[in-house]
Amino acid sequence: MPYDHLHRPRTARRPLALALTVLASAALLAGCGDGQAAQPGGHTPGKGGGTTGPRTTGGPTAPGDPSPSATATATTAGAGPLAGRTVVIDPGHNPGNFRHTSEINQKVDIGTGRKECDTTGTSTNAGYTEAFFTLDVSHRLRDLLTARGATVVLTHDADRPWGPCIDERARIGNKAHADAVVSVHADGSGTGNRGYHVILPALVKEGSADTTAIVGPSRELGRNIVAEFRRATGTAPSNYIGSGTGLDVRSDLGGLNLSTVPKVFVECGNMRDPEDARLLTSAAWRQKAALGLADGIETYLEG
């Protein structure tokens, strides 16, 4: 659950910031944005991870607390169907956000108003955090896309103490002139609420936000991801958001409002539902999820 992307009433999500970084190591984390508000039965700021599983206060250690500012570095591949294309992957939340609540609670401009920099994200009841989930899936997705020739940029790689904030996440995609941006998340809704959904930008033209040029392309990107995610994972679209379409439109997410390139948020499943949690904590299923995202992105980019 991206904080910025906090849905109308959701459950378990705190303001957290996303960081920008190099798509580095090929090693995949065993666990896997935008500050968002909860939607019906979704994540809400202020809820943290459990007491077991990967520690959300983990993350890279370094002398002092370096500034969360960073320079995006891309991993570029050679030949392949996506050669010459740039994709930005935005892993929802940063494992270090739990230790930097004052920083991630500071509000930033999202065009339509001001919102917390980010949230901590949600977790399964057993303590497997969204921040670890999103990073793991993002690494898998990066590897699949670079193998297909794309240049891939990560907004962060848990290489900074917290963040980046939701507005910075948007700027990273804009600065990269990305052909597509996908923000990876997992929801924190109630038991019985299952399935994935893709959040699309609403038509917003207010303050520093103007999504006029990206609403159409982002919807096409979202539709392709919905179809390919279902094919790759065998799971169904959300039974509690989107009326079975797997699509949801939001005007309250800074990461979407401030984007000038096609961008969507993907809630891969509901971490608070036991059945969905079983899938989300499976490395084999996370690989399928990454494949679904990669196939959806490729289908979109190939027109």
Side-chain angles (χ1 to χ4, degrees):
M1 326 153 77
Y3 162 74
D4 173 37
H5 137 175
L6 276 178
H7 296 297
R8 304 151 246 175
R10 272 191 177 167
T11 68
R13 192 171 268 215
R14 290 181 188 174
L16 75 82
L18 295 164
L20 133 95
T21 168
V22 184
L23 319 156
S25 77
L28 298 174
L29 294 184
C32 271
D34 209 326
Q36 73 183 39
Q39 275 188 283
H43 6 320
T44 60
K47 190 140 188 177
T51 56
T52 62
R55 290 180 59 83
T56 54
T57 54
T61 57
D65 246 4
S67 164
S69 299
T71 300
T73 305
T75 294
T76 306
L82 298 183
R85 300 289 198 152
T86 297
V87 178
V88 171
I89 303 171
D90 179 28
H93 314 291
N94 183 324
N97 281 354
F98 284 88
R99 293 181 288 113
H100 295 274
T101 54
S102 62
E103 290 90 342
I104 65 173
N105 276 310
Q106 294 181 24
K107 294 189 176 182
V108 298
D109 176 38
I110 66 167
T112 55
R114 296 182 67 79
K115 200 166 190 177
E116 288 84 353
C117 163
D118 208 345
T119 62
T120 58
T122 188
S123 71
T124 66
N125 292 331
Y128 179 55
T129 66
E130 182 184 1
F132 279 103
F133 169 82
T134 61
L135 198 59
D136 180 76
V137 172
S138 294
H139 285 170
R140 295 171 188 271
L141 176 57
R142 171 200 61 198
D143 294 345
L144 289 168
L145 292 174
T146 53
R148 300 179 191 193
T151 292
V152 180
V153 176
L154 290 181
T155 60
H156 80 96
D157 204 359
D159 56 344
R160 54 195 275 175
W162 56 273
C165 292
I166 56 182
D167 57 338
E168 183 182 353
R169 290 172 184 266
R171 288 195 298 271
I172 292 167
N174 298 344
K175 184 176 181 180
H177 301 290
D179 294 292
V181 182
V182 174
S183 190
V184 182
H185 288 271
D187 207 354
S189 186
T191 299
N193 290 340
R194 298 197 58 194
Y196 64 93
H197 65 276
V198 177
I199 302 172
L200 311 175
L203 179 58
V204 174
K205 193 169 184 179
E206 185 177 342
S208 56
D210 185 353
T211 62
T212 305
I214 70 166
V215 168
S218 296
R219 177 168 286 274
E220 285 307 304
L221 173 61
R223 284 174 173 166
N224 281 288
I225 289 177
V226 165
E228 295 299 333
F229 198 90
R230 182 169 196 164
R231 183 194 60 75
T233 64
T235 54
S238 171
N239 63 8
Y240 62 103
I241 289 176
S243 301
T245 65
L247 297 173
D248 185 34
V249 178
R250 300 278 300 279
S251 62
D252 61 328
L253 305 184
L256 296 181
N257 289 357
L258 301 177
S259 182
T260 59
V261 293
K263 181 174 182 178
V264 298
F265 280 67
V266 182
E267 294 285 2
C268 297
N270 175 22
M271 300 196 96
R272 293 296 183 175
D273 177 80
E275 292 303 312
D276 268 14
R278 180 178 58 80
L279 299 176
L280 297 169
T281 54
S282 163
W285 189 89
R286 291 197 300 274
Q287 185 63 31
K288 292 178 182 179
L291 178 61
L293 294 174
D295 288 348
I297 292 169
E298 181 176 351
T299 303
Y300 164 74
L301 293 178
E302 292 189 328

